[in-house]
Amino acid sequence: MNPTTFVLFGATGDLAKRKIYPALYHLYIHNQLPESFSVIGLGRKEFNDATFQAHVKQSLREFYRLEVQEDDTLQAFAELFGYNILNIDHTGDFVRLKERVEGWERGIDGQANRLFYLSVAPNFFGMIASQIEKSGLGTVSGWKRLVIEKPFGHDLASARELNSQLSQAFREEEIYRIDHYLGKSMVQQLEALKEANPVLQALWTNKNIANVQITADETVGVEERAGYYDQAGAVRDMFQNHMLQLLMMLTIHAPHNMASAEDIRLKKKQILEALDPLHRPDVHEQIVRGQYAAGQVQGKPVQGYASEPGIAPGSMNDTFIAGRLHIDNYHWRGVPIYIRTGKRLKAKSTRIVIEFKEPLSSSAPADHTYVPNLLVIEIGPNEGITLQLNTKDPERKGEFKPVHIDMYPDRAEAPEAYETLIQDALGGDSTFFVHWDEVELSWQWVQPILEAFAANEVPLYPYEAGSHGPDAAAALLARDGYHWWFDE
Ligand code: BG6
């Protein structure tokens, strides 16, 4: 790979320290960074190169997932880092930054690439992009890329506005939008799981699948993010992005095993286009919203959302959302897809459950013990795949007994989301990044929910912290004759 400068905005922030430096370090010690590589950290804090390098090393000691060796390699890694003070309103700071990058590029051979990573609040994205353009930083001899994190807008209109700002400085194929769920190793497995296993491939249709359940339960509450979260709610924080991405990755039928980024992108877009649109008057029938009340999470008493510091009095914000979706295409027509996510629930778990149809229902006695076949894909924090099958119960004549086939990948070998994503962005592989079409279509689908919530047309159900969410979420399935699996 050609010489590359990694230009990091927000270099003294939390994400950089927890995720980006450890990921870069991991790639460095595994020889997966370009041979000539430098990082320029940017921020308003008074660091110089030396104090910034010390900060990077300290972040690794605290947050790298394995023990950090205090050796020459660590020192060599730290020396890749430099720091510039930068105020994004000051064009002069961008010109100084450009001179520094050019100075480094002059000392090396080959066309030079620049990757701009915006680890800052999204309201700065547009301004930074325009400063990059104005200062000439965006004029490169190699490639340039922009990496940004969610949220991509607050609703459909603001997402469009943001995109038009970014597109003044970057072309769509230069923009790498991170949704860290796409970096999770089990999400990256989904494609292979379906396409490389005829056993599953043959079953992956509405002929065999009764329903799909996608859950992302969290035990944490609003934490220190009241300002952001009270405006966002679960619908913007998790549903519009992570949950719909999980849905797309699960339900696409890519043309062949080694599908290209373009193939996958097109298939994902087709899923969003095939989602039955929600109309605002129907939102209350298909979507459940909840807010946590006081309770106990994992043995510890916790306060309700409304009493959390920084939450507006009488806030009607959603900390839980469940929905019933339907993909109107050849493969999925008629299969209800249930999605739920929320904070302060019983246990941290992101998982997908595929419930298969019951072949015996018409002939079996009413009290038969048949349990449907289930394929359970655990995405985090545990990772694994379980297939639940039925066997004849040797102890009870004429009855069945479920058995489980479990597969747990070797965690030590599975890369962290940011390791894979940064490596892919450097290598130009956009498969696990979010294309603008997906952002736009997902906001478009979610927009009636935002409007119905804002106008209070959907009841806000309180749920006890430490529970599985409001009963109404169970009722969403019960009316189709199903229940959420693993809610014991
Ligand atoms: C983030 C949300 O995008 O994802 C957080 O902003 C949430 O509110 C987090 O806690 C969940 O991610 P994970 O990887 O812990 O499931």
Side-chain angles (χ1 to χ4, degrees):
M1 209 184 295
N2 284 331
T4 303
T5 312
F6 191 99
V7 183
L8 179 61
F9 295 80
T12 61
D14 223 41
L15 182 77
K17 162 167 99 176
R18 286 172 188 273
K19 300 288 183 191
I20 301 174
Y21 302 143
L24 286 172
Y25 177 66
H26 186 86
L27 295 175
Y28 181 75
I29 59 178
H30 291 88
N31 294 321
Q32 285 162 336
L33 289 180
E35 217 171 294
S36 296
F37 185 74
S38 79
V39 183
I40 301 192
L42 303 163
R44 274 177 305 185
K45 286 204 183 124
E46 294 280 336
F47 276 114
N48 58 34
D49 290 355
T51 52
F52 181 54
Q53 289 174 3
H55 169 80
V56 171
K57 282 200 240 173
Q58 189 50 32
S59 312
L60 302 180
R61 291 182 195 114
E62 278 177 55
F63 296 109
Y64 184 53
R65 60 191 162 109
L66 305 171
E67 203 185 322
V68 172
Q69 302 301 318
E70 303 286 335
D71 54 11
D72 292 350
T73 310
L74 177 65
Q75 186 51 32
F77 174 72
E79 286 172 11
L80 299 176
F81 288 72
Y83 187 82
N84 267 26
I85 295 178
L86 179 132
N87 188 323
I88 63 159
D89 300 325
H90 296 175
T91 308
D93 288 355
F94 281 82
V95 174
R96 254 189 305 284
L97 170 61
K98 179 178 161 233
E99 285 161 4
R100 181 160 192 185
V101 176
E102 284 174 352
W104 182 77
E105 288 173 350
R106 267 196 292 281
I108 46 173
D109 292 332
Q111 292 187 326
N113 309 320
R114 295 178 193 165
L115 183 144
F116 300 96
Y117 196 124
L118 274 43
S119 175
V120 295
N123 49 322
F124 300 126
F125 291 175
M127 179 68 162
I128 294 177
S130 115
Q131 294 278 37
I132 289 173
E133 177 66 6
K134 259 198 277 175
S135 61
L137 250 179
T139 309
V140 288
S141 56
W143 52 249
K144 70 171 190 300
R145 294 188 186 131
L146 177 74
V147 178
I148 52 174
E149 300 264 344
K150 69 159 251 268
F152 314 121
H154 189 72
D155 54 15
L156 182 58
S158 58
R160 283 183 173 149
E161 156 95 31
L162 173 63
N163 198 53
S164 82
Q165 288 171 348
L166 295 181
S167 49
Q168 287 167 20
F170 294 90
R171 297 194 311 272
E172 174 58 28
E173 58 276 21
E174 293 174 329
I175 304 178
Y176 287 66
R177 297 178 192 82
I178 289 190
D179 179 311
H180 80 279
Y181 269 52
L182 291 179
K184 290 185 187 271
S185 80
M186 291 307 291
V187 176
Q188 301 205 341
Q189 285 282 350
L190 287 173
E191 231 1 74
L193 191 66
K194 287 178 287 175
E195 303 307 326
N197 295 299
V199 167
L200 293 180
Q201 203 177 27
L203 296 176
W204 219 255
T205 83
N206 52 7
K207 281 181 206 61
N208 306 299
I209 294 178
N211 71 77
V212 173
Q213 305 180 8
I214 307 179
T215 296
D217 284 356
E218 297 193 83
T219 51
V220 293
V222 63
E223 301 179 286
E224 276 83 48
R225 303 157 78 211
Y228 152 77
Y229 194 81
D230 205 33
Q231 300 301 314
V235 61
R236 293 182 175 86
D237 186 48
M238 295 284 293
F239 193 90
Q240 175 269 337
N241 37 72
H242 305 323
M243 304 310 284
L244 290 182
Q245 285 293 335
L246 288 181
L247 169 78
M248 286 181 260
M249 294 308 289
L250 181 78
T251 55
I252 50 172
H253 286 73
H256 51 80
N257 184 17
M258 298 300 284
S260 70
E262 286 69 39
D263 293 334
I264 293 193
R265 172 173 303 165
L266 179 69
K267 296 285 164 186
K268 286 171 75 181
K269 184 176 169 213
Q270 288 168 350
I271 292 289
L272 289 178
E273 285 169 342
L275 267 186
D276 273 356
L278 261 184
H279 301 293
R280 191 164 145 183
D282 306 330
V283 172
H284 70 280
E285 283 172 10
Q286 308 294 340
I287 301 287
V288 170
R289 74 167 168 163
Q291 189 185 85
Y292 63 83
Q296 287 224 349
V297 177
Q298 296 174 324
K300 286 205 194 95
V302 298
Q303 56 193 343
Y305 179 76
S307 320
E308 298 269 23
I311 300 303
S315 167
M316 296 287 284
N317 191 33
D318 49 303
T319 63
F320 177 96
I321 179 168
R324 179 179 185 279
L325 288 73
H326 178 242
I327 300 171
D328 189 19
N329 71 9
Y330 173 77
H331 294 290
W332 294 103
R333 191 163 298 132
V335 180
I337 298 177
Y338 307 106
I339 296 183
R340 65 176 169 175
T341 179
K343 299 225 180 260
R344 285 286 190 233
L345 295 168
K346 187 164 181 201
K348 169 85 180 158
S349 170
T350 304
R351 62 172 180 272
I352 296 170
V353 179
I354 316 268
E355 176 177 337
F356 291 93
K357 287 187 176 162
E358 184 174 339
L360 308 172
S361 49
S362 52
S363 54
D367 61 347
H368 73 293
T369 54
Y370 182 88
V371 181
N373 284 175
L374 300 178
L375 177 70
V376 184
I377 302 165
E378 287 187 61
I379 291 168
N382 301 324
E383 296 179 345
I385 299 169
T386 301
L387 187 60
Q388 177 174 286
L389 302 174
N390 276 295
T391 54
K392 193 170 146 81
D393 189 337
E395 283 158 18
R396 286 176 301 163
K397 205 167 183 313
E399 302 280 352
F400 297 105
K401 191 177 167 187
V403 290
H404 300 102
I405 301 176
D406 297 316
M407 187 290 272
Y408 294 105
D410 182 352
R411 190 62 196 96
E413 282 178 13
E416 287 280 320
Y418 278 83
E419 293 163 9
T420 335
L421 294 173
I422 292 177
Q423 190 185 10
D424 285 352
L426 286 165
D429 180 352
S430 61
T431 311
F432 294 108
F433 292 84
V434 183
H435 191 272
W436 166 245
D437 291 342
E438 294 154 36
V439 178
E440 186 173 42
L441 287 165
S442 56
W443 277 121
Q444 207 163 302
W445 193 84
V446 159
Q447 189 65 31
I449 306 180
L450 304 180
E451 290 167 12
F453 281 10
N456 266 324
E457 292 161 3
V458 179
L460 178 69
Y461 295 105
Y463 60 95
E464 193 183 339
S467 68
H468 289 291
D471 294 344
L476 203 60
L477 279 70
R479 69 178 198 234
D480 299 332
Y482 300 123
H483 63 273
W484 294 102
W485 289 98
F486 311 113
D487 267 9
E488 34 302 311

